[in-house]
Amino acid sequence: GAVVSQHPSRVICKSGTSVKIECRSLDFQATTMFWYRQFPKKSLMLMATSNEGSKATYEQGVEKDKFLINHASLTLSTLTVTSAHPEDSSFYICSGSRAVSYNEQFFGPGTRLTVL
Amino acid sequence: EDQVTQSPEALRLQEGESSSLNCSYTVSGLRGLFWYRQDPGKGPEFLFTLYSAGEEKEKERLKATLTKKESFLHITAPKPEDSATYLCAVQGSSNTGKLIFGQGTTLQVKP
């Protein structure tokens, strides 16, 4: 149990375009979903936390207008990178949690974004 | 400020050579300490959650322990397939569910 999927697994886009990444919890209801960014050989950096039906909470330094997060249902969250630039190239990982407290986060397989 | 430090940064073992990975933490009100395994190009895979000092959990060749200041991930008689990056994370009392991750320990087990 506790499987999270992400789509697409890899995406290459031109600078200035927008890219949408989907995160789905397949066998549980994710009350809270988290979006992370990971640079090569570095640990995970939390970008934002989203609860179903409410606005996402962004970490300090993360541009909310650039990284749009929607948590439309208990099984789906999306991250849209708007007007992507080469510096947005990274590995984006989502996770889902059944509850805010005392609960594990289950991670998706990640999405590799390359902006040319 | 909540903080997690893992050591060593990298570890090379021969198959069958047991060892331990360390995770030191400072957090205001520990709600949980989590261990994950991450293979290259993939998302972290959940291993263990520890909630209070003295707690231990085991899974195959892995055993996680917890004190008030640190956690250890003991690997007994490792195999090459145990090669991966092991991540430690803590959840504090902020009640947001946020995890603070360490930098990870990259383990390589040679046959």
Side-chain angles (χ1 to χ4, degrees), chain B residues 83-103:
Chain B
S83 298
T85 295
Y86 291 86
L87 297 168
C88 171
V90 296
Q91 188 177 77
S93 60
S94 64
N95 204 33
T96 63
K98 180 177 174 178
L99 292 181
I100 307 298
F101 278 89
Q103 291 298 101

Side-chain angles (χ1 to χ4, degrees), chain A residues 11-19 37 66-67 81-90 92 112-116:
Chain A
V11 57
I12 300 173
C13 68
K14 292 183 178 180
S15 188
T17 61
S18 294
V19 174
R37 185 172 179 176
K66 181 164 189 63
F67 299 100
V81 183
T82 63
S83 187
H85 289 96
E87 56 265 30
D88 298 325
S89 298
S90 192
Y92 292 88
R112 173 74 58 191
L113 170 63
T114 303
V115 184
L116 303 177

Side-chain angles (χ1 to χ4, degrees), chain A residues 38 43 59 100-101 104-105, chain B residues 31 36 38 49 95 97-98 102:
Chain A
Q38 188 174 33
S43 193
E59 294 298 300
V100 172
S101 301
E104 304 86 0
Q105 290 182 26
Chain B
R31 287 183 174 268
Y36 289 88
Q38 187 176 26
T49 309
N95 204 33
K98 180 177 174 178

Side-chain angles (χ1 to χ4, degrees), chain A residues 19-79:
Chain A
V19 174
K20 180 185 282 188
I21 302 170
E22 287 189 353
C23 175
R24 292 181 184 274
S25 57
L26 300 184
D27 55 0
F28 70 102
Q29 292 187 325
T31 305
T32 306
M33 284 187 166
F34 304 84
W35 287 94
Y36 294 84
R37 185 172 179 176
Q38 188 174 33
F39 293 100
K41 298 188 178 181
K42 297 290 184 182
S43 193
L44 281 74
M45 181 190 80
L46 180 65
M47 299 175 65
T49 302
S50 73
N51 292 293
E52 183 260 342
S54 60
K55 289 185 179 180
T57 301
Y58 290 81
E59 294 298 300
Q60 194 171 10
V62 178
E63 298 177 60
K64 61 178 68 177
D65 293 331
K66 181 164 189 63
F67 299 100
L68 301 179
I69 291 171
N70 183 271
H71 193 159
S73 74
L74 287 172
T75 60
L76 173 64
S77 178
T78 60
L79 167 68

Side-chain angles (χ1 to χ4, degrees), chain B:
Chain B
E1 183 182 340
D2 298 346
Q3 194 169 358
V4 178
T5 303
Q6 291 187 247
S7 62
E9 190 173 313
L11 181 63
R12 282 186 174 184
L13 298 174
Q14 288 296 128
E15 184 172 2
E17 180 186 0
S18 301
S19 188
S20 297
L21 282 55
N22 177 265
C23 171
S24 297
Y25 65 91
T26 52
V27 64
S28 53
L30 179 71
R31 287 183 174 268
L33 184 141
F34 304 85
W35 282 99
Y36 289 88
R37 168 190 171 133
Q38 187 176 26
D39 292 301
K42 297 188 177 181
E45 174 190 345
F46 170 74
L47 293 174
F48 303 108
T49 309
L50 300 167
Y51 294 108
S52 57
E55 191 175 359
E56 298 182 351
K57 288 192 176 173
E58 287 188 67
K59 180 181 179 180
E60 296 179 355
R61 295 178 292 283
L62 301 177
K63 179 180 176 180
T65 61
L66 181 66
T67 72
K68 289 185 178 180
K69 294 182 179 181
E70 58 192 350
S71 176
F72 290 94
L73 185 65
H74 307 279
I75 303 177
T76 302
K79 297 182 178 182
E81 53 261 43
D82 294 322
S83 298
T85 295
Y86 291 86
L87 297 168
C88 171
V90 296
Q91 188 177 77
S93 60
S94 64
N95 204 33
T96 63
K98 180 177 174 178
L99 292 181
I100 307 298
F101 278 89
Q103 291 298 101
T105 293
T106 299
L107 172 66
Q108 184 181 24
V109 182
K110 293 192 171 184

